[in-house]
Amino acid sequence: MSGSAVFEIRVICDPDDTDTVTRALANAFRTGTPRAYPTRDGMRTRLYLTADHHPDTTAEGTNP
């Protein structure tokens, strides 16, 4: 990913929700490969994704 607006997203969720969360974030942002780790208590999952805004596609070059 390139650009100056790259950021990291961390989500803590139920393990059964990781695919849904990952897909939703990929629809909202350009994301890298998700990294998943168990929480300390082992009950949930920590997801980490590097993200960037989708490229501008408007004629003026601005996002709505």
Side-chain angles (χ1 to χ4, degrees):
M1 268 183 254
S2 64
S4 60
V6 176
F7 52 96
E8 184 86 359
I9 297 173
R10 179 180 73 168
V11 177
I12 297 174
C13 62
D14 187 276
D16 294 336
D17 294 333
T18 57
D19 288 340
T20 302
V21 170
T22 300
R23 277 193 304 273
L25 289 171
N27 286 332
F29 303 100
R30 287 187 340 186
T31 59
T33 303
R35 296 162 327 272
Y37 306 98
T39 55
R40 290 183 189 155
D41 63 9
M43 303 293 290
R44 295 173 290 166
T45 298
R46 289 179 293 136
L47 290 174
Y48 294 89
L49 295 97
T50 301
D52 193 355
H53 296 281
H54 286 288
D56 291 336
T57 58
T58 63
E60 293 84 29
T62 59
N63 280 327

